[in-house]
């Protein structure tokens, strides 16, 4: 098979990073296809732990091209911080490219993220990283793509359009207004440092597939956080499903071959929303501690539940898994009995 897609089969945090890292050994290209730095993968190499939020887990494989695809929204400040961390660890980045069509998260998106969450009656549990507002601007045709971000003239012109839009809302809520010159000064170094990495990644991926190279697609979050098919409105702002890969990277749907669903031997989720198999007892505390169930991005303790087969069958229906990778079975050692959810009862 030419392509392999790694998909979270639950609500995220299933262990996709370690599976992607394992599969990266045979991959020529590793592609992160959606989301932003609201997700995180923890990779342990030679006893050292690395937390990645934007850059694909395969960055540690120097022979493989690592791609941040156009379906992502990218905070250039967060990306620069992650790249600096890797450089400090003597991990080269010559094999990293960023899509020119990926949309940009700027500081005012994070401010808006916090504002929207504060006025909600029912909290979504956002990470306040600006992901939702950046995707909102993209859909409203108000977004900024990487190719414009690295062009000083295009970026300045964009700010002339977007700042009045945001400042109108910020002023109404008593929030500090955006200052164009300050933002230009903050972003200038990033425009220069990121420019060499900005490429037409759709063409690069297409060429790799045509050359019969192995391409590995890496999703963030999980199926139940999909904007289209998840537990709406308690979802993310993009689709972390296999079906979203072609549109988010710029290839034909027929290019999707193997789809691996990553699932824990139990279930977790972060934030608000439905969670049928959730437990809140000493067993949940034990699983959280043994499984290190604390968010890579937020540090929040994840909610704990038993393995939910109803949910997992739904995820298979959406994604068409060719394989299942079961993770963290050892965390349940010593727990007796181990329960599995096999059905739901409505209204008792």
């Amino acid at each position: 098979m030419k392509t392999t897609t790694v998909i979270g089969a639950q609500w995220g945090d299933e262990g996709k990073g370690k599976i992607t890292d394992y599969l990266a050994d045979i991959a020529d290209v590793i592609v992160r296809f959606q989301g932003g730095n609201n997700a995180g993968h923890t990779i342990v190499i030679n006893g050292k732990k690395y937390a990645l939020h934007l850059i694909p887990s395969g960055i540690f494989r120097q022979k493989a091209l690592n791609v941040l695809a156009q379906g992502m929204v990218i905070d250039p400040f967060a990306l620069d911080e992650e790249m600096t961390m890797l450089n400090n660890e003597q991990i080269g980045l010559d094999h990293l490219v960023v899509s020119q069509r990926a949309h940009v998260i700027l500081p005012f998106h994070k401010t808006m993220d916090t504002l929207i969450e504060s006025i909600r009656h029912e909290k979504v549990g956002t990470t306040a990283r600006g992901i939702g507002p950046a995707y909102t601007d993209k859909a409203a045709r108000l977004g900024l793509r990487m190719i414009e971000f690295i062009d000083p003239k295009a970026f300045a012109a964009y700010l002339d359009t977007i700042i009045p839009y945001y400042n109108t809302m910020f002023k109404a809520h008593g929030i500090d207004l955006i200052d164009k010159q300050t933002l230009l000064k903050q972003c200038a170094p990033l425009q220069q440092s990121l420019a060499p990495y900005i490429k037409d990644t759709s063409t690069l991926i297409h060429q790799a597939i045509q050359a019969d190279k192995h391409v590995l697609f890496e999703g963030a979050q999980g199926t139940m956080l999909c904007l289209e098919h998840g537990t709406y409105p308690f979802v993310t702002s993009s689709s972390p499903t296999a079906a979203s890969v072609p549109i988010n990277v710029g290839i034909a749907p027929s290019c999707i071959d193997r789809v691996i669903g990553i699932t824990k031997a139990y279930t977790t989720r972060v934030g608000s929303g439905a969670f049928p198999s959730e437990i809140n007892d000493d067993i949940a505390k034990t699983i959280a501690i043994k499984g290190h169930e604390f968010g890579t991005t937020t540090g929040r303790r994840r909610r704990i539940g038993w393995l939910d087969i109803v949910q997992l069958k739904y995820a298979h229906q959406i994604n068409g898994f060719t394989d299942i990778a079961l993770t963290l079975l050892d965390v349940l050692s010593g727990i007796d009995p181990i329960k599995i959810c096999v059905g739901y009862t409505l209204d008792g």
Side-chain angles (χ1 to χ4, degrees):
M1 291 184 177
K2 296 180 182 178
T3 66
T4 300
T5 302
V6 175
I7 297 293
Q10 298 163 310
W11 277 273
D13 309 309
E14 301 94 347
K16 296 181 295 296
K18 67 180 71 175
I19 302 300
T20 301
D21 184 61
Y22 173 76
L23 294 171
D25 273 339
I26 58 171
D28 300 298
V29 183
I30 299 108
V31 184
R32 168 79 184 276
F33 64 86
Q34 48 77 224
N37 61 317
N38 56 334
H41 292 325
T42 300
I43 304 295
V44 179
I45 297 177
N46 297 325
K48 188 172 182 62
K49 187 179 292 186
Y50 300 89
L52 299 175
H53 302 275
L54 288 165
I55 296 175
S57 306
I59 196 67
F60 301 102
R61 303 297 192 273
Q62 296 292 322
K63 70 177 181 66
L65 181 68
N66 281 251
V67 180
L68 275 63
Q70 66 197 54
M72 294 184 66
V73 286
I74 299 172
D75 181 338
F77 296 92
L79 179 57
D80 179 71
E81 183 178 331
E82 206 161 297
M83 292 170 70
T84 299
M85 179 272 291
L86 291 170
N87 275 322
N88 289 341
E89 295 291 336
Q90 307 301 312
I91 297 165
L93 298 174
D94 292 341
H95 56 310
L96 176 69
V97 294
V98 179
S99 173
Q100 60 188 8
R101 292 175 177 266
H103 278 245
V104 180
I105 299 172
L106 290 169
F108 53 78
H109 289 122
K110 292 187 279 188
T111 303
M112 179 59 72
D113 206 349
T114 301
L115 172 61
I116 293 171
E117 184 76 350
S118 71
I119 62 178
R120 287 182 183 273
H121 293 296
E122 199 169 17
K123 308 301 181 187
V124 169
T126 174
T127 59
R129 298 297 198 275
I131 310 300
Y135 274 119
T136 298
D137 282 356
K138 178 179 180 178
R141 284 90 74 196
L142 290 170
L144 175 73
R145 300 181 301 174
M146 273 291 179
I147 194 66
E148 288 100 26
F149 174 74
I150 61 173
D151 180 336
K153 289 185 178 179
F155 182 48
Y158 167 76
L159 292 182
D160 287 336
T161 297
I162 204 70
I163 286 177
Y165 171 78
Y166 272 93
N167 276 350
T168 298
M169 291 179 281
F170 290 168
K171 184 177 181 180
H173 290 275
I175 296 172
D176 291 341
L177 302 184
I178 307 164
D179 180 74
K180 177 183 176 182
Q181 295 306 316
T182 298
L183 194 52
L184 285 172
K185 186 176 181 180
Q186 291 173 334
C187 292
L190 300 177
Q191 291 171 303
Q192 295 180 9
S193 63
L194 294 178
Y197 297 92
I198 308 305
K199 307 288 183 182
D200 177 2
T201 58
S202 175
T203 298
L204 290 175
I205 297 167
H206 175 75
Q207 290 173 343
I209 293 173
Q210 290 298 304
D212 209 27
K213 293 185 177 180
H214 184 196
V215 182
L216 177 62
F217 298 109
E218 172 186 9
Q221 291 99 25
T223 298
M224 300 308 295
L225 293 179
C226 174
L227 180 64
E228 303 294 341
H229 303 290
T231 50
Y232 191 90
F234 304 101
V235 294
T236 192
S237 304
S238 58
S239 176
T241 64
S244 77
V245 172
I247 195 167
N248 281 329
V249 305
I251 59 172
S254 57
C255 293
I256 302 302
D257 297 322
R258 187 183 190 190
V259 181
I260 304 177
I262 317 301
T263 179
K264 287 174 179 170
Y266 50 96
T267 314
T268 65
R269 79 168 296 173
V270 174
S272 305
F275 191 11
S277 69
E278 184 172 15
I279 53 175
N280 291 290
D281 55 17
D282 289 339
I283 292 177
K285 294 177 183 177
T286 298
I287 291 173
I289 294 170
K290 289 179 66 177
H292 307 290
E293 295 297 350
F294 300 88
T296 304
T297 299
T298 64
R300 291 181 291 185
R301 203 198 96 169
R302 298 170 185 141
R303 296 161 64 189
I304 307 294
W306 296 113
L307 181 63
D308 187 337
I309 298 299
V310 180
Q311 176 273 313
L312 198 57
K313 288 173 70 176
Y314 174 73
H316 175 51
Q317 173 186 313
I318 298 299
N319 292 284
F321 298 132
T322 57
D323 306 79
I324 289 285
L326 184 66
T327 65
L328 298 175
L329 182 59
D330 58 315
V331 172
L332 300 180
S333 297
I335 295 176
D336 187 16
I338 294 174
K339 297 183 180 181
I340 297 176
C341 175
V342 295
Y344 299 160
T345 299
L346 181 64
D347 297 331

